[in-house]
Amino acid sequence: MTAAPERRRPGRSTALTVAMGLMLAYTLLPLLWLAISATKSNQTLFDSPGL
Amino acid sequence: MKRGAVRRNLTAHAFLLPFLCVFVIGVVAPLVYSVNLSLYQERMIGGRVFSGLDNYTKAFKDTLFHAGLGRVALFFAIQVPLMLGLSLVAALAIDSGRLRAPALFRIGIFVPYAVPGVVAALMWGYLYGDRFGLAGEIGDLLHTELPDLLSGNWMLASIGNIVTWSYVGYNMLIFYAALRSVPEELYEAAEVDGAGAVRKAFSIKLPALRPALLMATTFSVIGSFQLFNEPSVLQSLAPAAVSTNYTPNMYAYSLAFDGRQFNYSAAVAVLLGLVTVIVAYAVQRATARRERML
């Protein structure tokens, strides 16, 4: 009973993880940009790179 | 025996009462009020007069209302399948057990839902901008001029992206919860019968997802047809690209608060509500019929 789920567990897929990583970047990068921009003054907002 | 039943009924009603109070105050009363409002007209001579369905016939023929309705219908037809497809892929991937650190993906994709809609629209509005937004920087990096995402041609797609970003994790979680409720024995039985991963996805996972899919689609019908926050925020960044009748909800809003046409605005709002109900019902009927055919 305890061994059964262990046997069923499929291997980890790097390709799938990378593809889902792209999606994670889509959801999180805008928030990172927001957090970084919140630390800038009006002038540095124009002068410095966003990310 | 009988008295006991009556008493039980009373107890049940007493428990229901707080909900009913809030429901009547919060839902029924405003609905009745706006329907009532929509049946009158404010006239120069004679003041407030009962006009029957005049406001509705006017809204039926109103091209500004039609334009907004067409726009949200287009939005629904393109954005919703894309978003639900992305959510479905994410839910299947996280559920498959083939990801490293699935919990990180689950929470990371869900995080945008925790950002208030107005904040999300503001943030993307600045990101789209070519002055200090990311769109401008990516354009510089590639040494090309990216299209202006806040221009009229791109506005609907830009809004679609904001809505997708906000709700992809929410829908993913609905699908993921539905997948989690599938008992492990079902997969084991399928394996014994010789089913592979694809077969299991089509014969077990997709049927298990159907009720969740229907619910997510219904929410999306409502969200699309009642679109307001995102275009309203972007309007202040790009007034030329977002007209006051961009979506039916914005039209009703500007009629009421810029045009002071409260009665006509109420008719537009009620009509929009009816359209939303009809579309949601049609989606449900279409799904139910497909279910019967299977």
Side-chain angles (χ1 to χ4, degrees):
Chain A
M1 196 59 195
T2 46
E6 209 56 46
R7 184 184 56 80
R8 263 184 33 77
R9 178 158 292 168
R12 299 278 187 256
S13 162
T14 308
L16 192 65
T17 307
V18 170
M20 289 300 291
L22 284 178
M23 195 152 161
L24 203 61
Y26 169 62
T27 56
L28 292 185
L29 279 184
L31 289 173
L32 183 66
W33 177 87
L34 186 68
I36 291 172
S37 296
T39 66
K40 293 176 181 173
S41 67
N42 272 350
Q43 192 50 47
T44 43
L45 212 48
F46 291 98
D47 297 341
S48 57
L51 275 176
Chain B
M1 199 57 200
K2 193 115 198 199
R3 265 194 32 218
V6 169
R7 173 176 251 154
R8 251 202 314 277
N9 265 340
L10 275 180
T11 317
H13 283 102
F15 272 114
L16 204 59
L17 201 63
F19 163 75
L20 271 182
C21 283
V22 176
F23 183 70
V24 167
I25 294 169
V27 178
V28 177
L31 269 179
V32 170
Y33 178 68
S34 54
V35 168
N36 180 48
L37 210 57
S38 70
L39 298 177
Y40 288 86
Q41 273 178 357
E42 211 71 54
R43 299 242 168 94
M44 287 280 238
I45 305 152
R48 188 167 182 264
V49 287
F50 182 79
S51 61
L53 295 176
D54 280 6
N55 284 328
Y56 288 97
T57 45
K58 184 179 165 194
F60 256 117
K61 292 185 207 136
D62 191 339
T63 49
L64 291 175
F65 180 53
H66 293 168
L69 214 51
R71 203 169 281 125
V72 289
L74 178 71
F75 183 88
F76 170 68
I78 297 174
Q79 186 265 337
V80 170
L82 274 176
M83 173 180 68
L84 293 185
L86 267 179
S87 302
L88 197 59
V89 167
L92 285 170
I94 293 171
D95 183 65
S96 73
R98 305 199 59 172
L99 281 180
R100 274 171 246 275
L104 172 73
F105 288 96
R106 203 170 56 217
I107 194 74
I109 293 171
F110 183 71
V111 159
Y113 184 66
V115 177
V118 171
V119 175
L122 263 179
M123 180 190 74
W124 278 104
Y126 287 127
L127 279 170
Y128 291 150
D130 54 1
R131 283 168 68 221
F132 50 83
L134 272 189
E137 270 176 29
I138 292 171
D140 284 347
L141 212 66
L142 302 174
H143 298 292
T144 50
E145 192 87 6
L146 284 184
D148 182 5
L149 295 169
L150 290 172
S151 67
N153 289 337
W154 285 88
M155 187 49 82
L156 203 59
S158 298
I159 294 171
N161 176 50
I162 301 175
V163 176
T164 304
W165 181 81
S166 293
Y167 291 99
V168 76
Y170 172 75
N171 290 306
M172 178 273 288
L173 219 56
I174 292 180
F175 296 150
Y176 180 72
L179 284 174
R180 287 278 85 181
S181 71
V182 176
E184 194 73 13
E185 292 82 11
L186 219 50
Y187 293 124
E188 281 167 14
E191 255 169 44
V192 170
D193 286 345
V198 177
R199 181 77 212 179
K200 274 190 286 186
F202 277 95
S203 297
I204 299 178
K205 293 186 178 183
L206 282 183
L209 277 170
R210 193 160 286 142
L213 206 56
L214 179 61
M215 188 173 81
T217 312
T218 308
F219 285 154
S220 299
V221 169
I222 297 167
S224 303
F225 279 83
Q226 313 270 349
L227 198 64
F228 181 79
N229 277 346
E230 289 81 6
S232 181
V233 169
L234 292 183
Q235 189 179 37
S236 45
L237 292 173
V242 184
S243 51
T244 50
N245 68 317
Y246 199 75
T247 71
N249 243 353
M250 282 181 74
Y251 186 45
Y253 180 85
S254 70
L255 276 176
F257 298 111
D258 300 333
R260 321 292 292 166
Q261 292 177 273
F262 297 108
N263 302 91
Y264 184 47
S265 166
V268 166
V270 170
L271 213 54
L272 172 63
L274 284 178
V275 170
T276 312
V277 168
I278 290 168
V279 174
Y281 182 70
V283 166
Q284 242 161 55
R285 279 300 295 271
T287 326
R289 190 168 306 143
R290 208 172 309 138
E291 210 149 289
R292 248 178 282 131
M293 272 173 9
L294 283 173

